[in-house]
Amino acid sequence: MSTAPRLTALDALHRSLGATMTDFAGWDMPLRYASERDEHNAVRTKAGLFDLSHMGEITVTGPEAVALLNFALVGNIGTVSVGRARYTMICAEDGGILDDLIVYRLGETEYMVVANAGNAQIVLDALTARAEGFDAEVRDDRDAYALLAVQGPESPAILAAVTDADLDGLKYYAGLPGTVAGVPALIARTGYTGEDGFELFVAPEHAEQLWRALTEAGASRGLIPCGLSCRDTLRLEAGMPLYGHELTTALTPFDAGLGRVVKFEKEGDFVGRKALEAAAERAETAPPRKLVGLVAEGRRVPRAGYPVVAVGGTAAQVIGEVTSGAPSPTLGKPIAMAYVDAAHATPGTAGVAVDIRGSHEPYEVVALPFYKRQK
């Protein structure tokens, strides 16, 4: 029995703009409006406007909210100040990654956990189960928010035109309540593009008013609507992991090269601690495959699941697997992220190729990210 995809509050507006829609994690979302390349380049040089209302917001409140989050997640949420945010993960007992998250501290005893769309129910269920014994409430707030993002170098000027909030004082990974175009919003300086930008959490009934106001404010600064397709190439260039590709339940944060998010020094036990301590030790003594960047010498585009091989000997040897790949509008070449054996993970390693339908296409091993914005 098929279930119809969920619609965001901006669904009719996207269709009026001629968006190509796609089913993503059970939501009907705009893939692109016109040219993916133009949308990508707008975010790199001017600004792009995204509908991200498919993301999963979960509110955790109560006297022991922070104790619950410290037990349920791998990060130290106790050190997050009011008005700040933190990137973290929720893991299974065996250390496998259930999802990567951003946690916003909205008040003394109030936090908002933002999960990936495809994992929102898994995260909600895990937090609810782990809340047993804590004086804290876990609330599903997915229907309470629409989420718009303005990303790109012109985004501060565009947003400043429609809010009197102190954007200059708003640091990266911080959020503050404010009014944007007459609409109450949580204004967060976060994003998934590698550029400066903001994510705006608002009530769904205010989403269209906000979208139109931002569109008008950004018209003279090159702002255009952007879909999920360019969001993927932007995050890939910025070396940002995507759940289901670079992050899975088969990997621990240490396997993914993100062991820094696991805070063993925090007080008390947390789910997965023992398994993650073992994973940390393994990563030091016998490094697993490492996540690297690959840049094509030719024009053929690698895709997730393609084998990475070492060539030059009598026979090609599989040394890894591509997790994400796409043409890079910024570099002008195909790029990929891949997990490869540690012996072939050093930037500049010779003889590395991607097996693209039986053809061994040469690739250069590079450090991530592929692109870093000028501050």
Side-chain angles (χ1 to χ4, degrees):
M1 180 177 164
S2 63
T3 307
R6 297 179 69 178
L7 307 180
T8 78
L10 294 166
D11 183 75
L13 188 146
H14 296 317
R15 293 172 194 279
S16 75
L17 293 173
T20 299
M21 306 296 286
T22 188
D23 185 340
F24 182 81
W27 290 80
D28 217 9
M29 298 296 296
L31 186 65
R32 72 182 75 82
Y33 295 85
S35 158
E36 293 168 11
R37 179 177 291 271
D38 288 351
E39 291 171 26
H40 180 109
N41 290 334
V43 176
R44 285 279 178 258
T45 60
K46 303 280 178 49
L49 179 58
F50 296 83
D51 178 9
L52 305 179
S53 301
H54 61 311
M55 300 296 283
E57 296 86 7
I58 301 162
T59 302
V60 180
T61 57
E64 293 187 320
V66 68
L68 163 59
L69 290 170
N70 267 349
F71 171 70
L73 312 179
V74 301
N76 188 352
I77 307 306
T79 58
V80 180
S81 305
V82 174
R84 298 306 301 266
R86 180 153 301 163
Y87 177 78
T88 187
M89 294 182 183
I90 183 167
C91 290
E93 197 67 67
D94 67 0
I97 303 166
L98 295 177
D99 201 13
D100 61 334
L101 313 163
I102 296 180
V103 178
Y104 296 88
R105 187 173 183 184
L106 305 181
E108 283 301 319
T109 59
E110 184 180 4
Y111 296 81
M112 181 169 69
V113 178
V114 180
N116 286 297
N119 293 330
Q121 190 63 47
I122 292 167
V123 175
L124 176 66
D125 292 345
L127 286 175
T128 301
R130 295 174 190 186
E132 190 175 343
F134 289 94
D135 186 4
E137 179 196 350
V138 177
R139 188 174 71 236
D140 180 1
D141 271 348
R142 282 176 287 180
D143 292 336
Y145 291 103
L147 175 57
L148 280 64
V150 190
Q151 299 280 303
E154 293 287 343
S155 57
I158 292 167
L159 191 56
V162 290
T163 184
D164 57 5
D166 178 17
L167 300 182
D168 290 338
L170 188 64
K171 296 183 173 70
Y172 187 50
Y173 265 70
L176 61 89
T179 302
V180 183
V183 168
L186 172 66
I187 307 166
R189 200 164 206 151
T190 45
Y192 194 51
T193 62
E195 297 298 336
D196 191 11
F198 303 87
E199 295 183 321
L200 307 169
F201 297 84
V202 299
E205 60 266 26
H206 295 147
E208 187 169 335
Q209 177 185 335
L210 182 56
W211 179 283
R212 293 189 186 282
L214 289 167
T215 299
E216 190 177 332
S220 64
R221 293 184 177 272
L223 176 82
I224 63 171
C226 293
L228 294 184
S229 186
C230 83
R231 190 168 183 250
D232 190 49
T233 53
L234 289 159
R235 71 91 196 167
L236 177 56
E237 287 184 350
M240 294 176 168
L242 175 64
Y243 196 89
H245 290 254
E246 289 71 41
L247 308 175
T248 70
T249 52
L251 298 170
T252 72
F254 294 94
D255 298 326
L258 291 166
R260 64 182 181 275
V261 306
V262 181
K263 303 300 181 185
F264 293 120
E265 70 275 13
K266 64 179 174 176
E267 284 183 30
D269 196 14
F270 62 90
V271 177
R273 178 191 270 274
K274 193 170 284 188
L276 289 168
E277 286 173 342
E281 201 172 313
R282 282 197 307 274
E284 276 191 26
T285 56
R289 285 181 167 177
K290 291 188 175 179
L291 188 65
V292 301
L294 299 174
V295 177
E297 294 180 19
R299 308 304 306 170
R300 296 190 71 184
V301 179
R303 298 297 181 191
Y306 284 10
V308 181
V309 296
V311 295
T314 51
Q317 171 195 357
V318 175
I319 56 165
E321 185 176 298
V322 171
T323 53
S324 297
S328 164
T330 304
L331 275 64
K333 299 176 179 180
I335 59 172
M337 286 199 279
Y339 282 109
V340 302
D341 295 345
H344 295 86
T346 305
T349 299
V352 173
V354 175
D355 186 334
I356 300 180
R357 298 189 181 89
S359 173
H360 294 162
E361 300 291 329
Y363 272 74
E364 180 188 359
V365 178
V366 300
L368 293 169
F370 300 98
Y371 165 85
K372 204 166 191 175
R373 72 182 172 95
Q374 300 300 309
K375 300 288 184 188

mmCIF file of all heavy atoms in Angstrom, residues 120-154:
data_model
loop_
_atom_site.group_PDB
_atom_site.id
_atom_site.type_symbol
_atom_site.label_atom_id
_atom_site.label_comp_id
_atom_site.label_asym_id
_atom_site.label_seq_id
_atom_site.Cartn_x
_atom_site.Cartn_y
_atom_site.Cartn_z
ATOM 1 N N ALA A 120 13.872 11.051 11.084
ATOM 2 C CA ALA A 120 13.190 11.795 12.152
ATOM 3 C C ALA A 120 12.404 10.878 13.088
ATOM 4 O O ALA A 120 12.461 11.035 14.318
ATOM 5 C CB ALA A 120 12.283 12.858 11.544
ATOM 6 N N GLN A 121 11.684 9.911 12.514
ATOM 7 C CA GLN A 121 10.900 9.011 13.362
ATOM 8 C C GLN A 121 11.806 8.107 14.202
ATOM 9 O O GLN A 121 11.524 7.839 15.377
ATOM 10 C CB GLN A 121 9.961 8.152 12.506
ATOM 11 C CG GLN A 121 8.929 7.364 13.317
ATOM 12 C CD GLN A 121 7.961 8.269 14.077
ATOM 13 O OE1 GLN A 121 7.422 9.213 13.510
ATOM 14 N NE2 GLN A 121 7.760 7.993 15.359
ATOM 15 N N ILE A 122 12.910 7.660 13.613
ATOM 16 C CA ILE A 122 13.875 6.824 14.343
ATOM 17 C C ILE A 122 14.448 7.596 15.526
ATOM 18 O O ILE A 122 14.550 7.076 16.641
ATOM 19 C CB ILE A 122 15.012 6.373 13.392
ATOM 20 C CG1 ILE A 122 14.459 5.396 12.351
ATOM 21 C CG2 ILE A 122 16.170 5.744 14.157
ATOM 22 C CD1 ILE A 122 15.403 5.129 11.193
ATOM 23 N N VAL A 123 14.821 8.855 15.288
ATOM 24 C CA VAL A 123 15.382 9.689 16.357
ATOM 25 C C VAL A 123 14.333 9.959 17.427
ATOM 26 O O VAL A 123 14.619 9.882 18.635
ATOM 27 C CB VAL A 123 15.938 11.005 15.774
ATOM 28 C CG1 VAL A 123 16.406 11.939 16.895
ATOM 29 C CG2 VAL A 123 17.095 10.715 14.819
ATOM 30 N N LEU A 124 13.109 10.278 16.992
ATOM 31 C CA LEU A 124 12.028 10.530 17.949
ATOM 32 C C LEU A 124 11.791 9.303 18.831
ATOM 33 O O LEU A 124 11.690 9.416 20.055
ATOM 34 C CB LEU A 124 10.745 10.898 17.198
ATOM 35 C CG LEU A 124 9.496 11.111 18.060
ATOM 36 C CD1 LEU A 124 9.652 12.334 18.950
ATOM 37 C CD2 LEU A 124 8.259 11.252 17.164
ATOM 38 N N ASP A 125 11.719 8.137 18.207
ATOM 39 C CA ASP A 125 11.487 6.901 18.965
ATOM 40 C C ASP A 125 12.632 6.619 19.936
ATOM 41 O O ASP A 125 12.398 6.210 21.080
ATOM 42 C CB ASP A 125 11.307 5.717 18.008
ATOM 43 C CG ASP A 125 10.014 5.801 17.203
ATOM 44 O OD1 ASP A 125 9.132 6.605 17.570
ATOM 45 O OD2 ASP A 125 9.889 5.071 16.196
ATOM 46 N N ALA A 126 13.865 6.842 19.483
ATOM 47 C CA ALA A 126 15.022 6.577 20.341
ATOM 48 C C ALA A 126 15.054 7.536 21.531
ATOM 49 O O ALA A 126 15.281 7.119 22.675
ATOM 50 C CB ALA A 126 16.314 6.695 19.538
ATOM 51 N N LEU A 127 14.805 8.818 21.278
ATOM 52 C CA LEU A 127 14.801 9.798 22.367
ATOM 53 C C LEU A 127 13.679 9.497 23.364
ATOM 54 O O LEU A 127 13.868 9.606 24.579
ATOM 55 C CB LEU A 127 14.647 11.214 21.816
ATOM 56 C CG LEU A 127 15.873 11.814 21.125
ATOM 57 C CD1 LEU A 127 15.531 13.172 20.511
ATOM 58 C CD2 LEU A 127 17.040 11.965 22.094
ATOM 59 N N THR A 128 12.520 9.117 22.831
ATOM 60 C CA THR A 128 11.389 8.804 23.706
ATOM 61 C C THR A 128 11.717 7.604 24.596
ATOM 62 O O THR A 128 11.452 7.620 25.804
ATOM 63 C CB THR A 128 10.137 8.517 22.857
ATOM 64 O OG1 THR A 128 9.850 9.669 22.051
ATOM 65 C CG2 THR A 128 8.928 8.222 23.729
ATOM 66 N N ALA A 129 12.303 6.571 24.010
ATOM 67 C CA ALA A 129 12.674 5.381 24.793
ATOM 68 C C ALA A 129 13.754 5.707 25.824
ATOM 69 O O ALA A 129 13.703 5.248 26.968
ATOM 70 C CB ALA A 129 13.157 4.277 23.854
ATOM 71 N N ARG A 130 14.716 6.533 25.432
ATOM 72 C CA ARG A 130 15.829 6.856 26.323
ATOM 73 C C ARG A 130 15.441 7.857 27.409
ATOM 74 O O ARG A 130 16.185 8.062 28.361
ATOM 75 C CB ARG A 130 17.014 7.369 25.492
ATOM 76 C CG ARG A 130 17.582 6.301 24.569
ATOM 77 C CD ARG A 130 18.660 6.795 23.611
ATOM 78 N NE ARG A 130 18.971 5.756 22.624
ATOM 79 C CZ ARG A 130 19.951 5.834 21.731
ATOM 80 N NH1 ARG A 130 20.722 6.919 21.679
ATOM 81 N NH2 ARG A 130 20.170 4.841 20.877
ATOM 82 N N ALA A 131 14.252 8.480 27.252
ATOM 83 C CA ALA A 131 13.789 9.462 28.245
ATOM 84 C C ALA A 131 13.255 8.803 29.516
ATOM 85 O O ALA A 131 13.020 9.495 30.516
ATOM 86 C CB ALA A 131 12.712 10.353 27.637
ATOM 87 N N GLU A 132 13.063 7.494 29.477
ATOM 88 C CA GLU A 132 12.506 6.794 30.644
ATOM 89 C C GLU A 132 13.412 7.009 31.857
ATOM 90 O O GLU A 132 14.625 6.818 31.795
ATOM 91 C CB GLU A 132 12.389 5.293 30.354
ATOM 92 C CG GLU A 132 11.604 4.555 31.415
ATOM 93 C CD GLU A 132 11.383 3.084 31.086
ATOM 94 O OE1 GLU A 132 11.557 2.701 29.908
ATOM 95 O OE2 GLU A 132 11.052 2.346 32.014
ATOM 96 N N GLY A 133 12.805 7.464 32.950
ATOM 97 C CA GLY A 133 13.548 7.711 34.178
ATOM 98 C C GLY A 133 14.071 9.133 34.316
ATOM 99 O O GLY A 133 14.594 9.509 35.362
ATOM 100 N N PHE A 134 13.934 9.931 33.247
ATOM 101 C CA PHE A 134 14.364 11.335 33.298
ATOM 102 C C PHE A 134 13.141 12.241 33.441
ATOM 103 O O PHE A 134 12.093 11.979 32.848
ATOM 104 C CB PHE A 134 15.122 11.724 32.027
ATOM 105 C CG PHE A 134 16.488 11.113 31.908
ATOM 106 C CD1 PHE A 134 16.675 9.928 31.204
ATOM 107 C CD2 PHE A 134 17.589 11.710 32.501
ATOM 108 C CE1 PHE A 134 17.923 9.352 31.080
ATOM 109 C CE2 PHE A 134 18.852 11.156 32.386
ATOM 110 C CZ PHE A 134 19.025 9.965 31.680
ATOM 111 N N ASP A 135 13.286 13.324 34.204
ATOM 112 C CA ASP A 135 12.219 14.316 34.344
ATOM 113 C C ASP A 135 12.307 15.262 33.146
ATOM 114 O O ASP A 135 12.787 16.398 33.251
ATOM 115 C CB ASP A 135 12.378 15.072 35.666
ATOM 116 C CG ASP A 135 11.203 16.017 35.927
ATOM 117 O OD1 ASP A 135 10.246 16.009 35.119
ATOM 118 O OD2 ASP A 135 11.257 16.753 36.929
ATOM 119 N N ALA A 136 11.896 14.743 31.982
ATOM 120 C CA ALA A 136 11.979 15.500 30.732
ATOM 121 C C ALA A 136 10.921 14.988 29.774
ATOM 122 O O ALA A 136 10.516 13.822 29.835
ATOM 123 C CB ALA A 136 13.368 15.352 30.116
ATOM 124 N N GLU A 137 10.492 15.879 28.891
ATOM 125 C CA GLU A 137 9.467 15.528 27.903
ATOM 126 C C GLU A 137 10.062 15.616 26.509
ATOM 127 O O GLU A 137 10.772 16.576 26.179
ATOM 128 C CB GLU A 137 8.279 16.494 28.012
ATOM 129 C CG GLU A 137 7.170 16.218 27.001
ATOM 130 C CD GLU A 137 6.187 17.374 26.837
ATOM 131 O OE1 GLU A 137 6.237 18.331 27.642
ATOM 132 O OE2 GLU A 137 5.374 17.305 25.894
ATOM 133 N N VAL A 138 9.782 14.618 25.699
ATOM 134 C CA VAL A 138 10.192 14.610 24.291
ATOM 135 C C VAL A 138 8.939 14.831 23.448
ATOM 136 O O VAL A 138 7.973 14.085 23.554
ATOM 137 C CB VAL A 138 10.854 13.263 23.918
ATOM 138 C CG1 VAL A 138 11.195 13.237 22.434
ATOM 139 C CG2 VAL A 138 12.102 13.024 24.762
ATOM 140 N N ARG A 139 8.958 15.873 22.603
ATOM 141 C CA ARG A 139 7.752 16.245 21.851
ATOM 142 C C ARG A 139 8.046 16.291 20.345
ATOM 143 O O ARG A 139 9.028 16.901 19.919
ATOM 144 C CB ARG A 139 7.262 17.617 22.331
ATOM 145 C CG ARG A 139 5.904 18.030 21.756
ATOM 146 C CD ARG A 139 5.412 19.322 22.392
ATOM 147 N NE ARG A 139 6.177 20.494 21.985
ATOM 148 C CZ ARG A 139 6.793 21.329 22.844
ATOM 149 N NH1 ARG A 139 6.737 21.119 24.145
ATOM 150 N NH2 ARG A 139 7.460 22.375 22.390
ATOM 151 N N ASP A 140 7.196 15.651 19.588
ATOM 152 C CA ASP A 140 7.308 15.675 18.137
ATOM 153 C C ASP A 140 6.768 17.007 17.628
ATOM 154 O O ASP A 140 5.567 17.261 17.670
ATOM 155 C CB ASP A 140 6.498 14.505 17.561
ATOM 156 C CG ASP A 140 6.568 14.444 16.031
ATOM 157 O OD1 ASP A 140 7.251 15.282 15.427
ATOM 158 O OD2 ASP A 140 5.932 13.535 15.457
ATOM 159 N N ASP A 141 7.661 17.877 17.139
ATOM 160 C CA ASP A 141 7.244 19.199 16.664
ATOM 161 C C ASP A 141 7.408 19.352 15.152
ATOM 162 O O ASP A 141 7.490 20.472 14.632
ATOM 163 C CB ASP A 141 8.042 20.298 17.382
ATOM 164 C CG ASP A 141 7.366 20.753 18.669
ATOM 165 O OD1 ASP A 141 6.197 20.390 18.888
ATOM 166 O OD2 ASP A 141 8.013 21.456 19.466
ATOM 167 N N ARG A 142 7.394 18.214 14.451
ATOM 168 C CA ARG A 142 7.594 18.295 12.996
ATOM 169 C C ARG A 142 6.512 19.109 12.301
ATOM 170 O O ARG A 142 6.778 19.786 11.308
ATOM 171 C CB ARG A 142 7.656 16.880 12.405
ATOM 172 C CG ARG A 142 8.978 16.196 12.624
ATOM 173 C CD ARG A 142 8.972 14.764 12.116
ATOM 174 N NE ARG A 142 8.201 13.876 12.982
ATOM 175 C CZ ARG A 142 8.043 12.579 12.761
ATOM 176 N NH1 ARG A 142 8.594 12.033 11.684
ATOM 177 N NH2 ARG A 142 7.346 11.830 13.593
ATOM 178 N N ASP A 143 5.296 19.063 12.817
ATOM 179 C CA ASP A 143 4.202 19.809 12.190
ATOM 180 C C ASP A 143 4.132 21.258 12.667
ATOM 181 O O ASP A 143 3.334 22.047 12.163
ATOM 182 C CB ASP A 143 2.863 19.118 12.465
ATOM 183 C CG ASP A 143 2.747 17.781 11.747
ATOM 184 O OD1 ASP A 143 3.443 17.603 10.722
ATOM 185 O OD2 ASP A 143 1.995 16.914 12.219
ATOM 186 N N ALA A 144 4.952 21.598 13.653
ATOM 187 C CA ALA A 144 4.902 22.950 14.229
ATOM 188 C C ALA A 144 5.788 23.934 13.473
ATOM 189 O O ALA A 144 5.707 25.142 13.713
ATOM 190 C CB ALA A 144 5.325 22.900 15.699
ATOM 191 N N TYR A 145 6.651 23.417 12.586
ATOM 192 C CA TYR A 145 7.621 24.291 11.921
ATOM 193 C C TYR A 145 7.629 24.106 10.413
ATOM 194 O O TYR A 145 7.497 22.993 9.908
ATOM 195 C CB TYR A 145 9.045 23.984 12.420
ATOM 196 C CG TYR A 145 9.319 24.363 13.851
ATOM 197 C CD1 TYR A 145 9.350 23.395 14.844
ATOM 198 C CD2 TYR A 145 9.568 25.693 14.210
ATOM 199 C CE1 TYR A 145 9.621 23.728 16.172
ATOM 200 C CE2 TYR A 145 9.840 26.037 15.524
ATOM 201 C CZ TYR A 145 9.862 25.055 16.504
ATOM 202 O OH TYR A 145 10.118 25.386 17.808
ATOM 203 N N ALA A 146 7.830 25.218 9.716
ATOM 204 C CA ALA A 146 8.356 25.209 8.360
ATOM 205 C C ALA A 146 9.787 25.730 8.489
ATOM 206 O O ALA A 146 10.090 26.492 9.426
ATOM 207 C CB ALA A 146 7.533 26.114 7.441
ATOM 208 N N LEU A 147 10.661 25.310 7.578
ATOM 209 C CA LEU A 147 12.058 25.723 7.664
ATOM 210 C C LEU A 147 12.509 26.248 6.305
ATOM 211 O O LEU A 147 12.472 25.535 5.306
ATOM 212 C CB LEU A 147 12.930 24.531 8.098
ATOM 213 C CG LEU A 147 14.442 24.746 8.137
ATOM 214 C CD1 LEU A 147 14.822 25.917 9.040
ATOM 215 C CD2 LEU A 147 15.145 23.463 8.596
ATOM 216 N N LEU A 148 12.910 27.523 6.289
ATOM 217 C CA LEU A 148 13.455 28.152 5.085
ATOM 218 C C LEU A 148 14.922 28.456 5.332
ATOM 219 O O LEU A 148 15.319 28.760 6.466
ATOM 220 C CB LEU A 148 12.721 29.456 4.752
ATOM 221 C CG LEU A 148 11.360 29.364 4.040
ATOM 222 C CD1 LEU A 148 10.327 28.663 4.900
ATOM 223 C CD2 LEU A 148 10.868 30.764 3.673
ATOM 224 N N ALA A 149 15.732 28.381 4.295
ATOM 225 C CA ALA A 149 17.152 28.709 4.432
ATOM 226 C C ALA A 149 17.554 29.709 3.357
ATOM 227 O O ALA A 149 17.171 29.558 2.191
ATOM 228 C CB ALA A 149 18.005 27.451 4.323
ATOM 229 N N VAL A 150 18.303 30.723 3.778
ATOM 230 C CA VAL A 150 18.918 31.677 2.854
ATOM 231 C C VAL A 150 20.415 31.446 2.965
ATOM 232 O O VAL A 150 20.988 31.590 4.048
ATOM 233 C CB VAL A 150 18.613 33.143 3.229
ATOM 234 C CG1 VAL A 150 19.053 34.080 2.112
ATOM 235 C CG2 VAL A 150 17.146 33.334 3.520
ATOM 236 N N GLN A 151 21.043 31.047 1.876
ATOM 237 C CA GLN A 151 22.453 30.673 1.899
ATOM 238 C C GLN A 151 23.220 31.398 0.809
ATOM 239 O O GLN A 151 22.722 31.544 -0.316
ATOM 240 C CB GLN A 151 22.588 29.161 1.697
ATOM 241 C CG GLN A 151 21.902 28.321 2.769
ATOM 242 C CD GLN A 151 22.722 28.208 4.041
ATOM 243 O OE1 GLN A 151 23.864 27.763 4.021
ATOM 244 N NE2 GLN A 151 22.139 28.615 5.165
ATOM 245 N N GLY A 152 24.438 31.834 1.139
ATOM 246 C CA GLY A 152 25.284 32.490 0.157
ATOM 247 C C GLY A 152 25.840 33.801 0.686
ATOM 248 O O GLY A 152 25.357 34.336 1.696
ATOM 249 N N PRO A 153 26.851 34.354 0.019
ATOM 250 C CA PRO A 153 27.519 35.558 0.522
ATOM 251 C C PRO A 153 26.615 36.773 0.676
ATOM 252 O O PRO A 153 26.877 37.653 1.485
ATOM 253 C CB PRO A 153 28.631 35.812 -0.498
ATOM 254 C CG PRO A 153 28.328 34.942 -1.669
ATOM 255 C CD PRO A 153 27.518 33.808 -1.178
ATOM 256 N N GLU A 154 25.525 36.832 -0.098
ATOM 257 C CA GLU A 154 24.615 37.977 0.013
ATOM 258 C C GLU A 154 23.531 37.761 1.071
ATOM 259 O O GLU A 154 22.715 38.656 1.318
ATOM 260 C CB GLU A 154 23.938 38.247 -1.342
ATOM 261 C CG GLU A 154 24.878 38.725 -2.439
ATOM 262 C CD GLU A 154 25.346 40.165 -2.234
ATOM 263 O OE1 GLU A 154 24.716 40.893 -1.444
ATOM 264 O OE2 GLU A 154 26.346 40.551 -2.858
#
